[in-house]
Amino acid sequence: MRSPPEPRSPLLAALPGGRVQHAARLIGDGPAVTTLCRKRGTPTSDGDGLPYCASCRNRPNPISQQSHL
């Protein structure tokens, strides 16, 4: 049985100088990330206590939500 794929943007991250948290994924082996709203950088934290990025919220996670049978 195949395990379900991980979401392509599974992390929450705050970028340097940012005021919001983003949905992000690692670039290669990290530590740099790219966000759903197409920002890049090395996260300073996971963004606890910060509001969620409106641009990330408006973009769908780029992995299909359909079942692969």
Side-chain angles (χ1 to χ4, degrees):
M1 178 179 239
R2 183 185 290 177
S3 63
E6 291 186 27
R8 291 194 47 204
S9 298
L11 307 173
L12 290 177
L15 298 175
R19 298 180 301 251
V20 295
Q21 65 175 226
H22 301 273
R25 66 182 172 96
L26 290 175
I27 298 172
D29 290 333
V33 298
T34 185
T35 69
L36 278 180
C37 63
R38 299 190 174 112
K39 291 184 170 76
R40 301 178 109 184
T42 302
T44 55
S45 72
D46 60 4
D48 279 347
L50 295 175
Y52 190 71
C53 173
S55 294
C56 287
R57 184 181 315 114
N58 292 334
R59 294 182 190 271
N61 199 323
I63 194 163
S64 174
Q65 300 300 311
Q66 296 176 352
S67 173
H68 297 283
L69 298 175

